[in-house]
Amino acid sequence: MNTGPVAFPPPARARGAVKPWRAWLHERLGLAGLEKAILGGEMPGGASLWHTLGGVAAGLFVVEAVTGLFLALFYAPSVQTAWASVAYIQDQLPLGWFVRGLHSFGSSALIVVAGLHLLAVLVLGAYRRPRELNWMLGLGLFGLTVLFALSGYLLPWDQKGYWAKLVEATIAGNTPVVGGAVQQIIQGGSAFGNLTVTHAFAAHALLLPVAFVALVVLHIYLYRKHGPTPKWSMSADEIVARTVPAWPYQSMRNAAVGLFVLALVMLAVVVHHGAALESPADPTSSYLARPEWYALPLYQLRMYFEGPLEIVATMIIPGVVTALLLALPFLDRAPTNRPSDRKRVISATGLSLIALGALSALAVSKDARDPVYAKGRAEEETRTREARRLALKGMPAEGGLAVFLNDPLNHARAIWDERCSGCHGLVGTGGDKGPDFKDYDSRAWIRGFLENPEGLLHMGTAKIDKGMKAVDGTREEIDALAEMVYAQTGAPDADAARAAHGRELVAQKDCDTCHELDGEGENAGPNLAGRGTLAWIEAVIADAGQGRLFGEKNKMPKFAGKLTPAEIEDLAHFVIAQKTGH
Amino acid sequence: MPEHPTDTRRAFFAMLTKGLGALAAAIAVVPGLALLAAPLRRAIIRGAGQPLRVAVDHDVKPDKPIRVTATGELHDAWLRLDHVTVGSCWLVRATEGAPIRAFSTVCPHLGCGVDFNEKTNKFDCPCHASSFDLDGRCLSGPSPRGLDELEVSADGHEVLVRYRRFRTGTSKKVPMEETPE
């Protein structure tokens, strides 16, 4: 950087050996003044870990801003694209899960650190005169942090985000007088929809950051103006004697604690492989909505206030606590910062913490003991895995829940409706020109076929000339033959002995006049080897007129060439899936 | 240079702070850069690799290029569209019965849509006036190469084109979809 001829006046009165580029910049920007403004503070009474928390919170906010920017480069806010783009970030882009994880766990860390910062300020008495306004700014920043978290939670438009936000929006809507209007503005309409996502995203990524940065600048300015509050136990002389420059003594502690917190966040990210992403929001489901951990106390508190009293938990208690906190510097008339002089403040703080902890613990332990909750969680986990796996195939344009259309069975159902349902039935009412596949290839279906091949559910509607005759035999013989056919499908629960008995009956009952059993031979009826397996059904769909299948008696159109092999396979899976019984 | 022992300590702490701060910054920024660089290493937009039906044979008359669109499957980031316009091309036949050739409408210069000028019987780019003959050769203008020819398969009835996109601005014809998955 400092190579080449120096084309500007060399530093004249700089301390020590100042690099020429610094001198150059200083001349134009007043670097030293800027440096002094940023790093020039002092720590009366010395640097301490107590005083790291504000700096660490600010650092975490920067981490949130940076990771948030990267995420915004890939996120698309709309009902159709939100889940899809987040799943794409999470499961397909390199380190997307890590960046998203840092952003999500980082926000939790930010709430914890900001909370601890608030606590330290309470304990040190740093909210007291002349720092009242900065205390209020700090509370405002804490409120913005929570709003960040609340608005961000919705953005993936997955089950947990959707339902948690729905409950919160409804709570906002229950505010007396203005509630309805507030709710409609927050969610951009009378119900959750596209404008809910765009509103939440604009708030989360534009409005809140601007407001937060503005308040932080004021907050730091006032902090620097009044300086940090030393521990109450120090005398005035001690404070002066121990004073050190904030840079680098306090900064070093800030950086070390910040890095430690970041390491914990990274640990959480790696252990959980990034932030959770549940299945796409399903407004018709009965999802067991739970808020994020930081809102659990309020969630639990609400349990104790039913009906018209609900507002006590959702509005009145939080409102009163907020008002008390804001007014605290004016209510606290203690002569010194000593906790012993501020017994009411300290004990109220302690009791509040215990209450928050107890409410959270109650909420968690209640769910932990609840089998309904466990079942709901297990179902959601299965659904999540399925949705995330299917999203890898590429999302349908409808987005969200349409991911389940990627399921081969769903895909096959669409093909079925278009190509097959004209002739075949699915629900046991019979097809128009071919067999009904309700419970297809179950023992009952096969037995029904053997007993009455021309039945409504079997080949009757196909009206095949010289079709199969009903098998004449005892109940046991027909069971054995049915078991033999059943075993051909590869069903794992086939009874080998009975099937073998059925195999012996094939010649006896003259089945072999029309049916071969070697998989190759052609005859009037289909070759029974492997009948009902995936490959066999695929072959029937592709071309049922093959010699080893229905040959000249076939009436079903050929689908090879009209459907891709993958579509035929999906369809064969679909037919097999119709078997629900045994 | 610091001389006093306190100055040494202070310089060390300052360096340590900067080091820790840089590490924290790297943790936040470097994975994000990897995310940002994803499009360099994978195809974000992937068109259909298979031949798409664009026209019927007798629609393509000698010396009368027609512009057709190819409809097929398209992957765009997270999205998969099964039936969407993936691109368009010009179909050209020199003489009656001669094989049909297909040229992408994307100008190899900067990617504008090349049009056919019936008066001059040439393909003209509306943006920067590159001009191409019916064989796709660049006759004038800034285009670094001729029009990009696409693979055609015709069975005498249906005309199928394997639609692809190519890098613009280079003299070599490099398919874009060949970025590894």
Side-chain angles (χ1 to χ4, degrees), chain A residues 19-371:
Chain A
K19 294 193 178 78
W21 65 269
R22 288 193 74 132
W24 189 90
L25 278 178
H26 171 61
E27 191 185 0
R28 280 146 191 89
L29 297 173
L31 217 53
L34 194 67
E35 203 175 274
K36 187 165 181 289
I38 293 172
L39 304 175
E42 287 194 324
M43 298 302 295
S48 82
L49 289 179
W50 280 102
H51 290 98
T52 58
L53 294 165
V56 172
L60 282 171
F61 177 75
V62 174
V63 171
E64 291 300 294
V66 170
T67 51
L69 171 67
F70 285 120
L71 291 174
L73 288 163
F74 294 89
Y75 173 74
S78 80
V79 169
Q80 282 71 37
T81 57
W83 188 87
S85 58
V86 176
Y88 183 66
I89 294 170
Q90 181 76 22
D91 295 329
Q92 295 193 56
L93 292 175
L95 288 182
W97 63 274
F98 188 85
V99 176
R100 185 167 167 263
L102 270 191
H103 194 69
S104 170
F105 287 103
S107 81
S108 285
L110 179 53
I111 293 176
V112 171
V113 172
L116 289 175
H117 179 42
L118 208 77
L119 195 64
V121 168
L122 273 169
V123 172
L124 287 167
Y127 54 87
R128 287 150 55 81
R129 185 176 159 242
R131 298 183 178 84
E132 301 96 328
L133 294 182
N134 216 19
W135 162 254
M136 293 164 108
L137 277 178
L139 287 175
L141 282 166
F142 191 81
L144 289 182
T145 306
V146 172
L147 286 180
F148 261 118
L150 293 179
S151 55
Y153 204 53
L154 171 79
L155 296 180
W157 206 252
D158 64 348
Q159 283 284 66
K160 67 181 174 61
Y162 177 89
W163 290 102
K165 282 310 138 260
L166 193 77
V167 172
E168 284 153 19
T170 314
I171 288 173
N174 290 344
T175 313
V177 190
V178 293
V182 167
Q183 183 182 1
Q184 290 209 24
I185 287 172
I186 292 175
Q187 64 192 23
S190 55
F192 267 30
N194 265 319
L195 296 191
T196 318
V197 192
T198 54
H199 283 31
F201 184 60
H204 188 80
L206 294 167
L207 181 67
L208 290 171
V210 169
F212 194 93
V213 168
L215 289 200
V216 159
V217 168
L218 271 176
H219 194 61
I220 294 175
Y221 165 75
L222 285 180
Y223 166 73
R224 294 294 291 275
K225 179 176 165 58
H226 298 298
T229 308
K231 212 177 157 196
W232 58 84
S233 50
M234 278 189 244
S235 68
D237 290 344
E238 253 180 309
I239 289 172
V240 174
R242 291 193 188 181
T243 296
V244 292
W247 174 266
Y249 299 102
Q250 184 62 43
S251 321
M252 178 187 66
R253 286 171 172 78
N254 293 359
V257 174
L259 204 58
F260 174 71
V261 173
L262 203 52
L264 291 181
V265 169
M266 276 202 293
L267 186 68
V269 171
V270 172
V271 168
H272 296 276
H273 193 75
L277 176 66
E278 291 190 347
S279 65
D282 180 0
T284 63
S285 65
S286 304
Y287 184 78
L288 295 158
R290 294 292 180 274
E292 270 284 65
W293 64 268
Y294 47 80
L296 272 182
L298 281 176
Y299 162 80
Q300 183 66 23
L301 186 64
R302 199 215 54 82
M303 304 274 177
Y304 308 115
F305 298 91
E306 292 298 342
L309 287 180
E310 198 163 75
I311 199 168
V312 175
T314 58
M315 305 269 160
I316 296 177
I317 294 178
V320 167
V321 171
T322 307
L324 280 176
L325 279 171
L326 283 169
L328 178 64
F330 311 101
L331 300 173
D332 178 3
R333 295 263 164 229
T336 72
N337 285 352
R338 284 180 187 283
S340 53
D341 287 338
R342 298 183 292 125
K343 287 202 181 86
R344 273 193 295 182
V345 173
I346 299 296
S347 50
T349 306
L351 286 174
S352 304
L353 283 179
I354 292 168
L356 289 176
L359 286 169
S360 301
L362 279 170
V364 171
S365 71
K366 181 161 159 284
D367 280 344
R369 282 182 280 108
D370 183 359

Side-chain angles (χ1 to χ4, degrees), chain A residues 2 11-23, chain B residues 1-2:
Chain A
N2 54 353
R13 30 159 198 92
R15 53 190 161 97
V18 172
K19 294 193 178 78
W21 65 269
R22 288 193 74 132
Chain B
M1 267 294 151

Side-chain angles (χ1 to χ4, degrees), chain A residues 74 92 245 252 394-395 406, chain B residues 10 13 17 35 42 78 80:
Chain A
F74 294 89
Q92 295 193 56
M252 178 187 66
M395 283 291 285
N406 281 354
Chain B
R10 192 185 160 115
F13 285 164
T17 310
L35 189 58
R42 55 159 55 211
W78 57 82
R80 189 199 72 236

Side-chain angles (χ1 to χ4, degrees), chain A residues 235-551:
Chain A
S235 68
D237 290 344
E238 253 180 309
I239 289 172
V240 174
R242 291 193 188 181
T243 296
V244 292
W247 174 266
Y249 299 102
Q250 184 62 43
S251 321
M252 178 187 66
R253 286 171 172 78
N254 293 359
V257 174
L259 204 58
F260 174 71
V261 173
L262 203 52
L264 291 181
V265 169
M266 276 202 293
L267 186 68
V269 171
V270 172
V271 168
H272 296 276
H273 193 75
L277 176 66
E278 291 190 347
S279 65
D282 180 0
T284 63
S285 65
S286 304
Y287 184 78
L288 295 158
R290 294 292 180 274
E292 270 284 65
W293 64 268
Y294 47 80
L296 272 182
L298 281 176
Y299 162 80
Q300 183 66 23
L301 186 64
R302 199 215 54 82
M303 304 274 177
Y304 308 115
F305 298 91
E306 292 298 342
L309 287 180
E310 198 163 75
I311 199 168
V312 175
T314 58
M315 305 269 160
I316 296 177
I317 294 178
V320 167
V321 171
T322 307
L324 280 176
L325 279 171
L326 283 169
L328 178 64
F330 311 101
L331 300 173
D332 178 3
R333 295 263 164 229
T336 72
N337 285 352
R338 284 180 187 283
S340 53
D341 287 338
R342 298 183 292 125
K343 287 202 181 86
R344 273 193 295 182
V345 173
I346 299 296
S347 50
T349 306
L351 286 174
S352 304
L353 283 179
I354 292 168
L356 289 176
L359 286 169
S360 301
L362 279 170
V364 171
S365 71
K366 181 161 159 284
D367 280 344
R369 282 182 280 108
D370 183 359
V372 175
Y373 182 77
K375 184 163 168 282
R377 286 315 310 162
E379 279 170 9
E380 179 50 43
E381 273 159 31
T382 309
R383 216 173 137 77
T384 294
R385 264 197 306 279
E386 186 69 359
R388 300 262 293 269
R389 186 178 64 77
L390 292 172
L392 297 178
K393 297 183 176 184
M395 283 291 285
E398 296 87 344
L401 285 175
V403 73
F404 291 112
L405 296 178
N406 281 354
D407 189 319
L409 292 185
N410 278 321
H411 180 222
R413 174 73 205 219
I415 303 172
W416 172 275
D417 288 343
E418 190 185 328
R419 303 278 196 165
C420 317
S421 60
C423 297
H424 292 283
L426 265 191
V427 291
T429 51
D432 276 356
K433 289 174 188 161
D436 189 304
F437 289 112
K438 180 180 162 63
D439 217 9
Y440 177 65
D441 273 354
S442 65
R443 288 188 178 96
W445 192 94
I446 296 170
R447 199 185 300 118
F449 187 92
L450 296 178
E451 285 171 345
N452 182 13
E454 302 289 335
L456 180 68
L457 302 185
H458 300 100
M459 284 304 216
T461 50
K463 298 197 170 59
I464 290 179
D465 188 30
K466 292 187 187 141
M468 180 165 152
K469 305 266 180 321
V471 177
D472 187 20
T474 64
R475 169 89 193 179
E476 264 181 356
E477 285 171 338
I478 291 180
D479 276 353
L481 280 168
E483 197 67 22
M484 186 275 292
V485 175
Y486 185 69
Q488 296 300 322
T489 66
D493 62 338
D495 182 331
R498 190 181 292 173
H501 177 44
R503 181 70 185 81
E504 287 161 12
L505 290 170
V506 166
Q508 201 182 319
K509 296 287 175 191
D510 290 339
C511 306
D512 57 354
T513 312
C514 296
H515 293 287
E516 303 295 326
L517 267 156
D518 59 354
E520 299 287 330
E522 303 181 1
N523 205 330
N527 196 311
L528 294 178
R531 189 200 157 283
T533 57
L534 183 71
W536 191 87
I537 296 174
E538 281 174 9
V540 171
I541 299 169
D543 181 8
Q546 298 173 56
R548 71 180 171 94
L549 298 174
F550 295 91

